[in-house]
Amino acid sequence: MAHQTRLHLDGELVARARRLAVRAGQPVVDLARSRTTVSVERATLRLAGLAGADPDGIPWVNRLVDAVRGDVGIGHGVSLPVFHALAADGHSDLLALAQKAASGAVRFEVPAGAAAVRARELASASVGAGIAAVDARRVERDGLVAEIGDPPQRPWIYLIVATGDIYEDIPQAQAAARAGADVIAVIRSTGQSLLDYVPEGATREGFAGTYATGENFRLMRAALDETSVELGRYIRLTNYASGLCMPEIAALAGLNRLDMMLNDSMYGILFRDINPIRTFVDQRFSRQIHSRAGIIINTGEDNYLTTADAVEAAHTVTVSQLLNEFFAHEAGLPDELLGLGHAFEINPEVPDSFRLELAHALLARELFPDAPLKWMPPTKHMTGDVFRGYLLDGFFNLVGAMTGQGILLVGMMTEAVVTPWLSDRDLALQNVRYVMNACGGLTEDFHPPADGFIATRARVVLGEAIELLERICDDGLLNAIGVGTFGIMKRPADGGRGLDGVEEHQDGYFNPATEILEGRA
Amino acid sequence: MSNPRIVRPYGDTTGDGMVQVSFTLPVAHDKRAEGAAAQLASKMGLDPVMVVHAKQIGTSHTFFVVYGAAKHLVNLDEVQVVERDYPLLTSKEVNDAVKENLGRKLVVVGACIGTDAHTVGIDAICNIKGFAGEKGLEYYRELRVVNLGAQVPVPDLVNRAVDEGADAVLVSQVVTQRDAHLHNTREMSAAFREAFGPQDRPLLIVGGPRFDEMMAGELGVDRIFSRGTTPGDVASYLVHALASDVKEPVG
């Protein structure tokens, strides 16, 4: 590819950076492969068709997994005990079993011999039907995109709605799509990350966002399908597979044909203080489902730059992108589903800040030529001076155009002031359209010289990234996270929320979803 | 008059009163919509009014930019604000004052409480990286800073304040939907009053872009910091309240 050489990067150095990321990440993958979590098991039951919640709003998957865990733990996986009980006692379905289990009327055990074979077959058929539904959603998306069409331009324009009420979000999302958005993200309620269950049903109350629930997903996707037909371009829907319920939300996203999901390897650890081991186990399973569902993941490197300095910490973004790429590949995600993140967060008072932004954005573009990079707007240096903020967003859009970014999150001049007003969104889209119309093809003409400021800066950042990866390989990734290497936050492997929901696999651990997703069934 | 006490907005001539506002009305763009925008501006106290820009958004909204002269006057003598009532110190002066007057490190525990996950405020003040070119509180040799990060439950914050022997507790709140920042702050100050006697309660400080600095008493805290606060402001206040040579009662 022609643009591959735009920064004159040393191919051997790039290959070395990738090898180091594999070396740093592999021990964490090994750790994830030998453990399960309550959320992985609940996601498996969701794929097997168990939905709904008890009268207190506690999902049946939680009630059932808790009941199994109380009797035999989750180290064997819940599938064998659950489907053994289902077969043995002649319960009509998982819901009836969950209801009985919740009242304490079922005693779970890990079956052996012929009973185990039978439970295995039943579980595989049940979960297999869920995965077939995910496959069907993917085929449906491919059909709709072929029929209705993709956006005519790159980058895709990504807009956020967040009212807290799904029935308010829907008309806002449709209006945003009509105004030019290609991707709609429904921001989640603050704090959902830390819930160890997924709320049920359509929700109308949230804080600074709307709860991610299966029903909210379904309602919004159906509304955007109508709008897609009306507009003649397929409008993609985004939500968040992060927090304590990553695997379950990934399953719900696959079953409801979401198109993109925020899914970062370390975001929950660093910014939500979720236990590192819980995160890596949950993340691997959630990414396997995203891969199956054809969902583009969006990683969260932009967040590092909001807490650390965007110049000094530029290489931590590169390191995180390389790690995210390794973890994603390992979970089966191809490059075209890797929306690796980065952001325009350098202090505008820094001399040459725009050239530095160009260098960093182009470095990401060159390192990951086939990934639809997600380019995030300024937030940290948006001061409340909306006029200056509008100019900054214009420069952000210009970097996006010059470096060929795949997904552009539209910056709001009222960032840090209010949740975006109708007029803020309209002005922000005018800003994007002006830049794309004026110089959308500028990437063709933009070839910074090998000895210039931009190429030199990119090489420096790559060099620093390699040094940091070497240190991580020496110390171990979990230790690096523990001492505050990323985003300044120190997160030890035995700290944070959710570690009590992790168990090591026992001999004979069985998860029919994993078997299918890893191609063993 | 070189220092007028009664002022009005300044466009390009003293006393012209010129202001610029923008807003959206839930109507499609036509002559009547522009008339409605002018009438609204006039009711807001602008006279004369110039509707300089009108653009329809979608099918049933129109965005306006309006210029006009404000009829209102402000008497500076009647304006009430919280003036900084303590001297702004350099980091060296802060360290010296703590060493001399406290004779030990001053302990600060910081957190975002409730469901607020936006640590940008507390990090800007606490992290060594700092904000607006000033290093954060972690940079001050004589301060011991424990930043608990995001979404810390109030009881955990109280327990940590006890365990660390906190002299001051710093809480940042960014999310303001449904007045969450006010509810959380009241809950926090009530919990500290319950857990500590009036003499040994740590100094309670909240900050965030949408707080009204006048509300400290009402929210039960010692000080509120609003938009634009730098680590140096906070450090100077800590010295003033806890480590100045003239000991003043707090709260």
Side-chain angles (χ1 to χ4, degrees):
Chain A
M1 259 195 265
H3 75 245
Q4 275 273 57
T5 59
R6 269 196 293 171
L7 277 175
H8 317 278
L9 296 174
D10 176 350
E12 175 43 35
L13 265 189
V14 173
R16 179 145 157 247
R18 283 210 158 79
R19 283 196 303 273
L20 286 166
V22 172
R23 244 180 70 205
Q26 190 58 48
V28 169
V29 169
D30 295 342
L31 188 128
R33 289 175 74 104
S34 58
R35 282 164 181 75
T36 187
T37 74
V38 285
S39 186
V40 165
E41 298 302 325
R42 295 193 300 250
T44 308
L45 292 179
R46 286 185 185 276
L47 287 168
L50 182 56
D54 74 7
D56 294 329
I58 301 172
W60 289 117
V61 289
N62 286 63
R63 299 299 307 250
L64 190 50
V65 167
D66 289 350
V68 173
R69 198 173 189 201
D71 288 345
V72 293
I74 57 171
H76 298 89
V78 299
S79 298
L80 287 178
V82 162
F83 283 88
H84 175 61
L86 198 66
D89 301 338
H91 298 284
S92 52
D93 59 16
L94 284 175
L95 178 59
L97 178 70
Q99 287 166 337
K100 277 194 196 170
S103 69
V106 185
R107 173 113 194 112
F108 291 98
E109 57 184 7
V110 180
V117 173
R118 185 151 174 241
R120 234 179 136 93
E121 282 171 1
L122 269 176
S124 297
S126 236
V127 171
I131 291 178
V134 170
D135 292 342
R137 295 283 91 81
R138 182 178 186 155
V139 169
E140 195 173 67
R141 180 195 302 114
D142 291 345
L144 285 167
V145 170
E147 192 183 313
I148 302 172
D150 263 325
Q153 88 297 327
R154 278 286 185 148
W156 291 344
I157 295 170
Y158 179 118
L159 267 178
I160 286 167
V161 298
T163 68
D165 178 346
I166 187 66
Y167 294 107
E168 287 284 336
D169 286 345
I170 286 172
Q172 278 216 14
Q174 290 178 313
R178 287 186 195 109
D182 302 312
V183 182
I184 299 291
V186 180
I187 288 248
R188 288 200 312 189
S189 177
T190 293
Q192 182 167 3
S193 301
L194 301 180
L195 298 180
D196 210 344
Y197 65 94
V198 181
E200 269 292 315
T203 64
R204 311 200 64 169
E205 293 238 321
F207 291 95
T210 307
Y211 286 104
T213 76
E215 179 62 5
N216 286 348
F217 286 0
R218 190 188 67 76
L219 288 167
M220 183 61 89
R221 188 58 266 172
L224 290 181
D225 279 349
E226 283 176 23
T227 310
S228 299
V229 171
E230 172 195 321
L231 296 174
R233 58 193 159 89
Y234 182 72
I235 308 297
R236 285 176 170 79
L237 175 58
T238 303
N239 210 287
Y240 295 71
S242 58
L244 288 168
C245 294
M246 233 189 239
E248 294 174 84
I249 291 174
L252 292 169
L255 290 167
N256 290 287
R257 193 174 23 93
L258 268 71
D259 306 285
M260 292 190 191
M261 294 297 275
L262 277 282
N263 184 301
D264 188 83
S265 61
M266 295 187 285
Y267 174 80
I269 302 169
L270 299 175
F271 296 93
R272 297 287 192 253
D273 198 12
I274 294 173
N275 174 263
I277 295 169
R278 170 76 178 257
T279 298
F280 284 120
V281 178
D282 282 350
Q283 180 214 177
R284 182 166 185 270
F285 187 88
S286 67
R287 288 188 173 189
Q288 288 177 327
I289 294 183
H290 290 329
S291 169
R292 185 76 176 207
I295 286 176
I296 297 172
I297 63 164
N298 292 183
T299 60
E301 283 80 1
D302 50 293
N303 293 287
Y304 303 144
L305 302 183
T306 61
T307 49
D309 180 85
V311 178
E312 283 170 26
H315 64 291
T316 66
V317 168
T318 307
V319 167
S320 173
Q321 287 168 337
L322 287 162
L323 289 170
N324 261 312
E325 178 193 52
F326 164 67
F327 289 131
H329 283 167
E330 194 281 326
L333 285 159
D335 284 342
E336 59 267 27
L337 297 182
L338 293 189
L340 297 172
H342 57 145
F344 186 96
E345 291 283 17
I346 298 174
N347 184 345
E349 302 297 329
V350 169
D352 291 316
S353 67
F354 183 73
R355 297 164 91 191
L356 290 164
E357 294 285 10
L358 275 172
H360 299 170
L362 198 54
L363 175 62
R365 183 69 285 167
E366 299 284 282
L367 287 176
F368 309 100
D370 300 317
L373 301 182
K374 176 155 176 226
W375 182 225
M376 305 281 287
T379 59
K380 191 181 182 184
H381 299 285
M382 297 298 270
T383 58
D385 177 349
V386 294
F387 304 102
R388 182 173 177 275
Y390 199 68
L391 177 63
L392 216 53
D393 280 334
F395 272 55
F396 157 77
N397 292 332
L398 184 55
V399 174
M402 290 174 80
T403 60
Q405 303 297 316
I407 303 160
L408 183 136
L409 197 153
V410 178
M412 295 290 152
M413 64 190 201
T414 46
E415 175 72 40
V417 181
V418 289
T419 49
W421 293 353
L422 184 71
S423 55
D424 299 334
R425 211 172 270 144
D426 189 69
L427 286 164
L429 283 167
Q430 285 186 54
N431 189 330
V432 173
R433 266 197 292 269
Y434 164 68
V435 173
M436 293 308 154
N437 187 42
C439 58
L442 197 54
T443 176
E444 286 171 25
D445 306 308
F446 180 49
H447 297 274
D451 58 352
F453 180 93
I454 289 174
T456 306
R457 171 65 188 165
R459 284 196 298 272
V460 167
V461 174
L462 179 60
E464 289 172 356
I466 287 173
E467 275 172 37
L468 176 56
L469 279 165
E470 281 168 344
R471 278 213 311 279
I472 294 172
C473 284
D474 290 344
D475 299 348
L477 180 56
L478 289 175
N479 290 328
I481 293 169
V483 299
T485 303
F486 300 96
I488 315 186
M489 249 76 62
K490 297 186 173 83
R491 303 300 191 198
D494 58 355
R497 296 164 163 100
L499 181 59
D500 55 354
V502 181
E503 284 187 29
E504 273 187 64
H505 288 176
Q506 303 285 319
D507 283 344
Y509 173 82
F510 174 65
N511 186 319
T514 310
E515 302 277 314
I516 297 169
L517 294 171
E518 293 184 359
R520 287 196 302 272
Chain B
M1 280 219 305
S2 55
N3 279 319
R5 304 308 295 163
I6 298 191
V7 295
R8 57 175 11 140
Y10 182 102
D12 66 352
T13 310
T14 300
D16 63 13
M18 290 305 289
V19 300
Q20 173 232 57
V21 290
S22 63
F23 52 83
T24 302
L25 291 178
V27 290
H29 181 215
D30 57 15
K31 290 283 271 197
R32 182 178 295 273
E34 292 200 16
Q39 192 181 113
L40 177 68
S42 149
K43 286 179 174 169
M44 289 164 76
L46 305 190
D47 180 31
V49 165
M50 288 179 285
V51 177
V52 299
H53 174 74
K55 178 185 175 283
Q56 185 164 315
I57 302 175
T59 55
S60 54
H61 293 83
T62 305
F63 175 66
F64 298 95
V65 178
V66 175
Y67 281 71
K71 290 183 290 194
H72 308 295
L73 302 170
V74 174
N75 183 342
L76 295 179
D77 294 327
E78 291 168 1
V79 175
Q80 289 190 342
V81 290
V82 178
E83 294 273 16
R84 186 162 47 75
D85 48 3
Y86 53 88
L88 209 51
L89 307 176
T90 66
S91 58
K92 183 173 183 315
E93 289 167 337
V94 168
N95 287 331
D96 289 350
V98 172
K99 214 169 178 178
E100 211 164 291
N101 301 321
L102 213 57
R104 60 171 171 82
K105 291 202 177 188
L106 192 155
V107 180
V108 180
V109 172
C112 285
I113 56 171
T115 56
D116 198 339
H118 298 79
T119 57
V120 52
I122 197 76
D123 289 342
I125 299 299
C126 288
N127 279 357
I128 190 159
K129 190 66 221 168
F131 172 65
E134 282 185 23
K135 293 270 196 268
L137 298 183
E138 288 176 345
Y139 175 75
Y140 292 74
R141 207 179 51 245
E142 297 300 323
L143 303 184
R144 189 164 71 80
V145 180
V146 184
N147 183 355
L148 302 178
Q151 297 181 335
V152 177
V154 167
D156 291 8
L157 178 61
V158 174
N159 285 337
R160 272 310 273 278
V162 173
D163 293 349
E164 304 287 349
D167 296 297
V169 170
L170 241 62
V171 161
S172 115
Q173 292 280 274
V174 172
V175 172
T176 56
Q177 218 173 41
R178 294 166 213 272
D179 285 339
H181 61 313
L182 304 181
H183 298 309
N184 290 342
T185 301
R186 285 198 188 94
E187 184 195 342
M188 184 269 298
S189 65
F192 273 94
R193 270 164 224 286
E194 213 159 281
F196 290 89
Q199 292 312 309
D200 46 34
R201 172 176 70 76
L203 195 69
L204 299 179
I205 300 170
V206 293
R210 298 273 86 78
F211 276 108
D212 176 352
E213 294 183 342
M214 309 284 286
M215 285 179 77
E218 195 182 320
L219 296 178
V221 298
D222 298 300
R223 188 84 184 192
I224 292 176
F225 285 105
S226 192
R227 194 165 41 80
T229 302
T230 64
D233 294 333
V234 178
S236 301
Y237 173 68
L238 290 172
V239 166
H240 165 75
L242 297 169
S244 62
D245 35 10
V246 194
K247 195 75 186 159
E248 283 177 57
V250 296

